[in-house]
């Protein structure tokens, strides 16, 4: 029971990280290679606010979210917006990689190289469910992921902004003709992605420790979850994240700890080979027509 809850909790955060990747990919068809660094900045910033300024946990995370929103918008303005048609210009690979390296090195200078013990929500208290002790923090990881996922779908399906996002995602050129400012929509998607990344980083940091090196560990798993679920499919991000969390949980029970990640990524490779579009392919064929399902 405890192992399952832990796997679901970790998988929920992987899902949020993959969701943040999918939000950007669905409107731009590019992968934000600075995503892992943005997650790390969210974790390190909230840790800094907690430890130095002794802020309330939720206030620190809220400020980290605001900082990440600004940071993500700057990344878009500096590294993406001026490149023109992203489907014809692959320079974004270099600019986003560069942005990530700059963030990693800046964090190393500002926060140091030693991993920081990030506090758990509710001081790490546990509750007993059917005789199994479960951390409240892990339950909050699952709850927050579900709430964000549901809210995002409501916004996408029920609001004018969501309709604009879907229009830009499906037919960006047509959206411009209809008067939708695509650049502004993409900028807002980068901002939303940054906010989700900050929350993800803050929730996973108590388990992984907060460090500038978490860029690589959490970033790779975010991409893995996105690929398993299907790039560009934000619903698939949750399936991919939960699947990766469960795979890790099962692997940790049957193989030595050092091989857990290797087994997880081996299964990811197999899934990608068998289902190149992920478990929920971004392209679904219905009634003989190609339908793009990016949201």
């Amino acid at each position: 029971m405890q192992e399952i809850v832990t796997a679901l909790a970790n998988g929920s955060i992987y899902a949020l990280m993959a969701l943040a990747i999918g939000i950007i990919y669905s409107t731009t068809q590019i992968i934000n290679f600075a995503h892992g660094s943005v997650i790390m900045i969210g974790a390190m910033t909230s840790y800094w606010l907690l430890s130095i300024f002794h802020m309330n946990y939720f206030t620190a995370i809220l400020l980290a979210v605001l900082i990440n929103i600004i940071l993500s918008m700057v990344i878009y303005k500096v590294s993406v917006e001026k490149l023109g048609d992203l489907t014809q210009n692959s320079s974004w690979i270099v600019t986003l990689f560069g942005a990530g390296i700059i963030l990693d090195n800046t964090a190393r200078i500002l926060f140091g190289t030693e991993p920081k013990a990030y506090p758990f929500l509710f001081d790490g208290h546990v509750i007993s469910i059917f005789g199994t002790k479960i951390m409240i923090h892990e339950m909050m990881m699952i709850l927050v992921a579900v709430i964000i996922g549901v809210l995002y779908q409501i916004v996408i399906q029920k609001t004018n902004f969501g309709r604009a996002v879907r229009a830009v995602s499906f037919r960006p050129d047509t959206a411009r003709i209809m008067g939708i400012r695509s650049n502004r929509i993409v900028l807002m998607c980068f901002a939303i992605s940054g906010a989700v990344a900050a929350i993800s980083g803050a929730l996973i940091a108590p388990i992984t420790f907060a460090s500038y090196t978490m860029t690589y560990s959490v970033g790779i798993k975010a991409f893995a979850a996105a690929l398993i679920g299907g790039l560009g499919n934000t619903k698939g991000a949750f399936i991919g994240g939960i699947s990766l969390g469960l795979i890790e949980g099962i692997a940790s029970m049957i193989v030595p700890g050092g091989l857990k990640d290797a087994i997880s990524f081996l299964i990811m490779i197999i899934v990608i080979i068998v289902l190149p579009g992920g478990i929920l392919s971004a392209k679904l064929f219905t009634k003989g027509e190609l339908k793009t399902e990016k949201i």
Side-chain angles (χ1 to χ4, degrees):
M1 178 71 173
Q2 186 173 3
E3 290 79 6
I4 293 175
V5 173
T6 299
L8 289 175
N10 291 339
S12 297
I13 302 305
Y14 299 156
L16 281 186
M17 296 174 186
L19 172 65
I21 292 174
I23 289 170
I24 293 176
Y25 184 86
S26 64
T27 52
T28 62
Q29 298 298 290
I30 69 173
I31 298 173
N32 182 10
F33 288 112
H35 182 61
S37 301
V38 175
I39 293 172
M40 177 271 296
I41 291 294
M44 295 302 297
T45 302
S46 54
Y47 172 82
W48 185 62
L49 294 171
L50 284 168
S51 60
I52 303 299
F53 293 97
H54 305 290
M55 286 188 177
N56 174 274
Y57 201 110
F58 297 100
T59 303
I61 292 178
L62 177 61
L63 287 176
V65 166
L66 293 176
I67 291 171
N68 256 27
I69 287 174
I70 296 171
L71 175 62
S72 296
M73 294 172 75
V74 169
I75 289 174
Y76 170 72
K77 286 290 186 181
V78 174
S79 303
V80 178
E81 186 179 44
K82 303 301 182 182
L83 297 178
D85 187 351
L86 299 175
T87 61
Q88 303 297 324
N89 186 345
S90 59
S91 298
W92 54 269
I93 298 174
V94 176
T95 57
L96 288 172
F97 259 126
I101 292 171
I102 291 171
L103 291 178
D104 292 346
N105 283 277
T106 301
R108 182 178 182 179
I109 294 170
L110 292 177
F111 304 116
T113 60
E114 292 298 320
K116 310 296 192 299
Y118 198 106
F120 288 93
L121 274 169
F122 303 106
D123 297 322
H125 289 164
V126 299
I127 58 175
S128 181
I129 300 178
F130 301 117
T132 302
K133 292 184 178 180
I134 299 172
M135 291 184 64
I136 299 178
H137 183 94
E138 291 179 334
M139 298 180 65
M140 289 298 297
M141 291 165 72
I142 299 171
L143 179 62
V144 170
V146 171
I147 290 173
I148 290 176
V150 171
L151 285 177
Y152 179 76
Q153 288 301 318
I154 291 174
V155 169
I156 288 298
Q157 300 296 332
K158 304 294 184 181
T159 67
N160 289 333
F161 171 75
R163 283 186 280 272
V165 170
R166 283 184 284 148
V168 172
S169 173
F170 188 62
R171 289 285 188 272
D173 294 334
T174 304
R176 293 188 190 95
I177 295 173
M178 295 173 62
I180 297 173
R181 300 181 64 177
S182 299
N183 284 353
R184 179 172 292 183
I185 295 299
V186 175
L187 177 65
M188 293 304 298
C189 287
F190 264 81
I192 295 170
S193 175
V196 175
I199 296 171
S200 304
L203 289 175
I204 199 72
I207 296 171
T208 62
F209 289 92
S211 168
Y212 81 97
T213 58
M214 70 186 294
T215 291
Y216 310 104
S217 59
V218 301
I220 291 175
K221 289 180 180 179
F223 291 126
L227 289 170
I228 291 173
L231 265 177
N233 192 317
T234 52
K235 300 183 186 76
F238 276 82
I239 292 179
I242 297 298
S243 299
L244 183 59
L246 290 174
I247 290 169
E248 277 191 350
I250 295 171
S252 65
M253 291 187 288
I254 60 178
V255 299
L259 293 176
K260 180 183 68 173
D261 289 342
I263 296 296
S264 299
F265 286 108
L266 175 61
I267 294 176
M268 178 201 73
I269 292 171
I270 293 172
V271 170
I272 293 171
I273 291 174
V274 176
L275 300 170
I279 295 174
L280 288 186
S281 175
K283 293 181 179 179
L284 304 175
F285 289 89
T286 57
K287 298 181 180 179
E289 297 181 354
L290 180 63
K291 177 183 177 183
T292 302
E293 180 70 27
K294 296 177 181 176
I295 304 298

